[in-house]
Amino acid sequence: MPSDFISNLFVFILAGFVGFEVIKRVSPLLHTPLMSLTNALDAIVVVAAIIIAGRHETTLSTVLGVIAVAASFSNMVGGFLITDRMLRMFKSSRPGKAS
Amino acid sequence: MPSDFISNLFVFILAGFVGFEVIKRVSPLLHTPLMSLTNALDAIVVVAAIIIAGRHETTLSTVLGVIAVAASFSNMVGGFLITDRMLRMFKSSRPGKAS
Amino acid sequence: MISSENIIEAIYLVASALFILSLKWMNSPATARRGILAGETGMVLAIAGTLLNRGIVDYKWIAIALVLGTLIGIPLGRVQMTAVPQRTALSHAFGALCVTLVGTAEFYLRSPDVPRFMMGVLAMEVILGSLTFTGSLMAAGKLQEILPQRPMTYKGQNLVNLSLLAISVFVAAYLVVNPGARGLFPLMIGIPLAFGVLMVVPIGGADMPTVISLLNSYAGLSAAAMGFVLDSKLLIIAGALDGSSGFILSVIMSKAMNRSFTNVLFGAFGQVQPSGGAAAEERPVRSATAEEAAGILAAAAKVVIVPGYGMAVAQAQHKVRELYDALTRRGVDVKFAIHPVAGRMPGHMNVLLAEADIPYDRLLDMDEINSDFPQTDVALIIGANDVTNPAARSDRSSPIYGIPILDVDKARTVMVIKRSMSPGFAGIDNPLYYLDKTLMLFGDAKAFVGNIVRELGGAHA
Amino acid sequence: MISSENIIEAIYLVASALFILSLKWMNSPATARRGILAGETGMVLAIAGTLLNRGIVDYKWIAIALVLGTLIGIPLGRVQMTAVPQRTALSHAFGALCVTLVGTAEFYLRSPDVPRFMMGVLAMEVILGSLTFTGSLMAAGKLQEILPQRPMTYKGQNLVNLSLLAISVFVAAYLVVNPGARGLFPLMIGIPLAFGVLMVVPIGGADMPTVISLLNSYAGLSAAAMGFVLDSKLLIIAGALDGSSGFILSVIMSKAMNRSFTNVLFGAFGQVQPSGGAAAEERPVRSATAEEAAGILAAAAKVVIVPGYGMAVAQAQHKVRELYDALTRRGVDVKFAIHPVAGRMPGHMNVLLAEADIPYDRLLDMDEINSDFPQTDVALIIGANDVTNPAARSDRSSPIYGIPILDVDKARTVMVIKRSMSPGFAGIDNPLYYLDKTLMLFGDAKAFVGNIVRELGGAHA
Ligand SMILES: NC(=O)c1ccc[n+]([C@@H]2O[C@H](COP(=O)([O-])OP(=O)(O)OC[C@H]3O[C@@H](n4cnc5c(N)ncnc54)[C@H](OP(=O)(O)O)[C@@H]3O)[C@@H](O)[C@H]2O)c1
Ligand SMILES: NC(=O)c1ccc[n+]([C@@H]2O[C@H](COP(=O)([O-])OP(=O)(O)OC[C@H]3O[C@@H](n4cnc5c(N)ncnc54)[C@H](OP(=O)(O)O)[C@@H]3O)[C@@H](O)[C@H]2O)c1
């Protein structure tokens, strides 16, 4: 068991606590945008894919890497786009006219 | 800058977030017990003192270590004792007789 | 003194903090936009930081992949609001795909000399990743109604599934002991892929949202596992955040539907539908026309509109907006009662109504609004059913007994817009429809609301 | 494969999680006891784990130290509730002492070969530690009234203090560059020690609670710094939690007193007192006897008791409890209005009333109770002053203008128990006392409440 594993475990546990505390308090009003936002954030796996694709070690690894980058990056673009679209809809004051 | 510093920084930041989220939601009713509880928890520095005292390298270090252990441990004992005392006072249902 | 690794790590640290803030700011619509900004900034930083990585020798392929990703991503960002559930499922599939592929690449680059421990985590990453991949695709298919919505069950199904899972775990264990066995790795992907499909097959289309959230947390976990393999705190944090989000949402949903996870996963709930539908027809109900409905609404002082899944499928939100305008113009006080699981995903009604520009301070949670119903003249139910079913309060035998519902039956008059007497998602009859105070308004939500608006002389579309 | 270091680290991980849960469970009285248990378990685990450390050659001294600590700790755990502020200050001093000593030992064991970076953190640790040590001692002294409560100020004071701080930072910087200069280390402790004293000297006794919380977060930070030096995540987490707790509490306090930190630290607020005191005497007030007060209370249907610092110093909580019993027995509805900064530390009133066995569901926050005052027959103010001062709402010139207060003046009758017309902590006159609806009940809180109880014939002590 590499010792950096434990320090990563610390990070994992703490992040878990933060996650629960923070998400629990997201207004139910925004649960759908929350879902798409977490999609976008989940796309962070792209960083790992980028390295695989960029290291260019074997053809296999490069191919897999490229697909992986495309897949996760599309998540990021799509996720942020739609979350933004949704949130732009939420208006508090009496709005002017139907969209 | 040792690389483990950054991983510690991760832990620090995360713990900070957890701290804020959690403490913000402590009921004002319990702010005094909260203060004494954090005193008790702060006594965790005893672990570092124990090692200094126990390694027994120089007389100086041992003396300092012993004082340090005594100081922090007294915090722990005192802190938990008084927090417990306070909390035992808080009663919800109509109590029987004045203490 | 300060190596480029350290700089990258520092950038990742900032990115992680930004991700946390991004979720934190989602707690209210006022700060939510800032939340997105934080998320985007974090993402840009993280990617920029990664591109600094010395290991990268060739940026061509990365560039191509990024362009590709953008091309796929933009349409995925432009889908109809009603298509959000399947879009979400799809994006879990993509995320899981990425994780699985990276895991595979890592394995073949490193094996045979993969440290036992890391091999274990890697196995977990790949297994979670691949089952999430196919599982999410299935879910998306069912929601998009490419695949049959109704649950497909057969005897010993759960046994088959679990044994599949067991086998893949066994393979993983074997690989941990001797990581040289490259030949076995495909098995460790193939079997979970199959499992993912079979896992979702027996689950009814309407249960998908819960499944999606569950898969969401799997995706998060696999990302975190990848973080452990690559010793990347950034991935671990993002994974943990994503995982807890998915978990909490699925808990909220199953609570509001009073179902247990196991029940959702193995229950094949949907089947009940027919029976409930049949029982319905017999007893008499009072129905009314759009004209009558319009009259009653115009006469009311306080109206609460209860939207449900039906409004979503009918795409009626804009007509509802017109109704809201027409009534408000006549000085009627109009509120919306939003049940936590109205529709088919958490917050479903809120986005739809927001899409139609209805101010969100008119949308009230169940807990806020329930006390108002006794003072309400008309409760207008538009395509909602289960979330208004009084049986949940009274009838112990009902499958939805005990779930918190909207007390519409406390209002002076109840009007229900739906196409027929057929039941809702839970597949059970709704006693509400047989009350004297209840008027059934049969028809498609969009069309019927449109008629009411016309009667009120308020159509401006 | 699994080394003892790993086991210890794993134990520390569990301990950290328990600490977090412990604070989490403090969010309601129902779970708070569990919170302590979690904290204690975590502490035991952490210490046990530490004792496994291979570096430890000799347990004798540790044992002695632990016994010593227990002997000091027990009395510190048994102090009067009214002495809690100084006890808290004292325990910060001890914590900081420990951190400083450990830091010193570490330095002398490692120097001259201390890596620059670590030396920097170590310096921060000892500087924060030593100034917190003396600062807390001073605070404790002032609260215990061993030291003069009133702020001591002289020209250029802040300049002197800041330059002291600057020097110690400079020394630290020098040590970072050449860690061999063992001779300089004592300076880096001595100067902050002096700074700690001078920092607190100009601060009024009543401002101490804010200072204490600030020092609390310093203590936390220094512990975290130590964690960085020793690469111990456990210390970092505990330090961060402690730091944020102290910070949040001091923010709450300064908000409720509408003061800024700088204002608290450099303001020497206490001086205003005399002027306000002088202005008071002139205008006429109506006063009443215990007998009259008892009559009015007995006739009332709804009574709200507003306790303040005066009740604390008079130790009147048990008498108040008797009053509460006597009135409740006569069917009067009695509630308590707790202002966030009533008394001299956060939650001060709550502990005192809890100590007197008054059920906490009778204690209402400012926000909960303020709407009740208009329907309240009698607001009985016991040793509170600033938190009831209407000037905070109306008089822009008042130093407390804008702070949220208890709207006691909205009650039908207001009765104020205090010994004189002299002002409270803020040192300003209170217009409330000159209202026609207000009756002043002059006397010591404990004695006077005792008399009222006797009049009500409810004394059973
Ligand atoms: N929100 C979530 O996260 C979530 C997730 C999973 C499951 N669920 C479940 O979904 C259900 C949601 O309850 P709900 O009341 O919103 O919906 P519901 O109970 O599913 O009822 C929807 C009703 O709308 C009517 N309808 C369908 N299409 C329509 C149209 N075009 N025009 C007019 N009416 C139409 C249907 O009746 P007709 O066929 O007669 O028109 C049906 O009775 C709950 O049982 C909940 O547990 C929710
Ligand atoms: N709670 C916190 O965390 C905190 C921290 C720092 C500062 N503060 C400040 O402390 C103040 C608290 O307000 P407060 O209304 O509770 O107290 P206060 O404004 O300080 O007033 C206390 C009053 O009690 C009276 N008193 C003193 N001894 C008494 C006795 N033995 N019997 C009867 N009355 C007695 C005093 O008048 P007589 O002398 O005429 O009897 C005084 O007017 C606020 O200004 C707040 O900003 C609070």
Side-chain angles (χ1 to χ4, degrees), chain C residues 85-403:
Chain C
Q86 42 271 48
R87 195 210 80 85
T88 310
L90 208 57
S91 88
H92 293 149
F94 284 173
L97 176 65
C98 172
V99 170
T100 315
L101 295 181
V102 171
T104 313
E106 281 290 329
F107 175 80
Y108 283 112
L109 289 175
R110 300 185 184 198
S111 91
D113 49 4
V114 191
R116 293 217 162 125
F117 179 73
M118 173 177 295
M119 187 61 220
V121 186
L122 190 89
M124 179 177 153
E125 170 192 340
V126 187
I127 293 179
L128 271 176
S130 32
L131 72 86
T132 307
F133 176 58
T134 44
S136 305
L137 283 183
M138 287 294 293
K142 285 199 173 198
L143 286 164
Q144 189 62 27
E145 292 173 15
I146 301 166
L147 300 176
Q149 291 260 350
R150 94 193 127 48
M152 289 171 266
T153 48
Y154 54 85
K155 244 178 114 304
Q157 187 167 39
N158 296 334
L159 190 73
V160 176
N161 295 355
L162 292 181
S163 41
L164 270 180
L165 199 57
I167 297 174
S168 55
V169 170
F170 177 81
V171 175
Y174 183 86
L175 273 165
V176 170
V177 184
N178 34 16
R182 289 159 150 263
L184 278 179
F185 195 83
L187 262 185
M188 204 171 65
I189 297 186
I191 301 175
L193 284 176
F195 174 77
V197 177
L198 297 176
M199 177 181 73
V200 178
V201 159
I203 301 176
D207 264 333
M208 281 309 135
T210 325
V211 175
I212 292 177
S213 304
L214 223 48
L215 290 170
N216 187 350
S217 52
Y218 292 168
L221 279 184
S222 62
M226 182 156 95
F228 277 96
V229 174
L230 306 174
D231 186 17
S232 155
K233 309 237 177 330
L234 174 63
L235 290 183
I236 294 175
I237 293 175
L241 293 174
D242 200 37
S244 39
S245 156
F247 182 73
I248 289 179
L249 286 183
S250 37
V251 168
I252 291 176
M253 274 190 269
S254 13
K255 273 233 190 72
M257 300 158 60
N258 67 352
R259 318 269 306 273
S260 65
F261 280 158
T262 47
N263 183 320
V264 169
L265 289 180
F266 307 116
F269 198 60
Q271 292 158 310
V272 199
Q273 229 101 344
S275 65
E281 310 313 331
E282 295 127 25
R283 292 153 61 190
V285 300
R286 292 169 54 210
S287 75
T289 67
E291 187 176 0
E292 295 162 315
I296 298 171
L297 286 169
K302 245 171 132 298
V303 170
V304 173
I305 298 179
V306 180
Y309 175 64
M311 184 191 79
V313 286
Q315 287 279 32
Q317 60 269 30
H318 293 292
K319 286 287 169 210
V320 171
R321 166 67 200 284
E322 292 175 19
L323 178 60
Y324 167 77
D325 288 341
L327 289 173
T328 330
R329 231 180 283 106
R330 289 160 167 272
V332 183
D333 168 42
V334 184
K335 292 214 191 76
F336 292 81
I338 311 296
H339 189 282
V341 293
R344 287 292 181 271
M345 63 184 173
H348 198 167
M349 294 299 126
N350 300 299
V351 259
L352 291 178
L353 295 174
E355 182 188 10
D357 262 339
I358 291 166
Y360 61 74
D361 38 24
R362 292 264 121 202
L363 315 182
L364 301 180
D365 287 349
M366 175 168 58
D367 319 344
E368 297 167 317
I369 194 86
N370 261 348
S371 50
D372 292 12
F373 280 113
Q375 300 88 269
T376 302
D377 301 309
V378 183
L380 176 60
I381 301 170
I382 304 178
N385 186 340
D386 300 342
V387 299
T388 65
N389 192 331
R393 282 202 312 265
S394 49
D395 171 6
R396 303 193 155 280
S397 68
S398 162
I400 63 169
Y401 177 72
I403 81 169

Side-chain angles (χ1 to χ4, degrees), chain D residues 206 257 309 341 343-344 383 385-386 418-420 422 425 444-445:
Chain D
M257 300 158 60
Y309 175 64
V341 294
R344 286 292 183 272
N385 186 342
D386 300 342
K418 66 200 297 284
R419 296 164 310 179
S420 67
S422 61
F425 163 73
D444 172 78

